[in-house]
Amino acid sequence: MLWLCALPVAAHAQAAKPAVAETRRYAIEVAGIQVGTMTATRQPPVGPEQVYTLVSDVKVNFLFYHLKIYYQVMNRFRNGQLLLSTVEAHTNQGDFASRTEWKGDHYTILADQYKHHYEATQAQPIRYTVTDLFFAEPAGQPRAFGEYFGDYFALSRAKDGTTRALRDGREDEYQYANGQLVTIIKKNPLKNFIIRLLP
């Protein structure tokens, strides 16, 4: 009889558990060698707001090719609309930043990255970003806002089922299995960067 009385308490205790953040961890490889990591995190919603982060840490030393990049993307959404996106990048070429902020009726966009400077305003709400690609296939999405660049990647689905993201001659390929992002191929003239989901 006592265990029956305890059931509502146990059920309440389970319901009161705090929601857990969703995290996806990836290895970054060049020529089959791991050179870094990437971690995408989606925090549980707090009321109408939700925060996403994407952190990448890469160090490459091949003969005369040296590359060091650490960057962090933070996106804050309210009711499915991007309110604020910040990107901090620390590289062997210097420190850079991008910021996209909703001002009530438009965004101010400023991307000041290595060999890329872009400044704009935009009235149309942003509802889908590159960071969203880490958490689900982009079903029916024609484009994704590239937080780092401050503008859009065109998305298309290839015959083999992969998603291609194109922007200004840059091409990334996203591969999904059972709705989960498992591999990204970042096309590069020297060597492709392969980003693989870690178990």
Side-chain angles (χ1 to χ4, degrees), residues 65-69 87 89-98 111-118 148-149 167 170:
Y65 183 61
H66 303 285
L67 176 68
K68 177 185 166 191
I69 302 173
V87 181
H90 307 285
T91 78
N92 55 321
Q93 300 295 328
D95 296 333
F96 306 94
S98 298
D112 188 18
Q113 298 292 347
Y114 178 63
K115 293 187 177 179
H116 175 77
H117 186 84
Y118 181 74
Y148 182 92
F149 296 103
R167 185 205 156 269
R170 174 186 299 267

Side-chain angles (χ1 to χ4, degrees), residues 103-145:
K103 296 290 193 176
D105 61 355
H106 70 279
Y107 291 98
T108 57
I109 301 169
L110 176 59
D112 188 18
Q113 298 292 347
Y114 178 63
K115 293 187 177 179
H116 175 77
H117 186 84
Y118 181 74
E119 199 167 342
T121 59
Q122 175 183 313
Q124 184 179 6
I126 297 168
R127 300 193 178 277
Y128 196 80
T129 69
V130 166
T131 302
D132 289 292
L133 288 163
F134 285 83
F135 296 97
E137 288 192 69
Q141 292 288 346
R143 61 185 191 165
F145 183 74

Side-chain angles (χ1 to χ4, degrees), residues 138-175:
Q141 292 288 346
R143 61 185 191 165
F145 183 74
E147 304 96 331
Y148 182 92
F149 296 103
D151 69 356
Y152 289 88
F153 281 84
L155 301 179
S156 62
R157 190 174 175 86
K159 288 181 182 177
D160 63 1
T162 60
T163 294
R164 300 201 192 291
L166 296 169
R167 185 205 156 269
D168 194 26
R170 174 186 299 267
E171 180 181 350
D172 297 337
E173 186 177 298
Y174 293 79
Q175 300 171 359

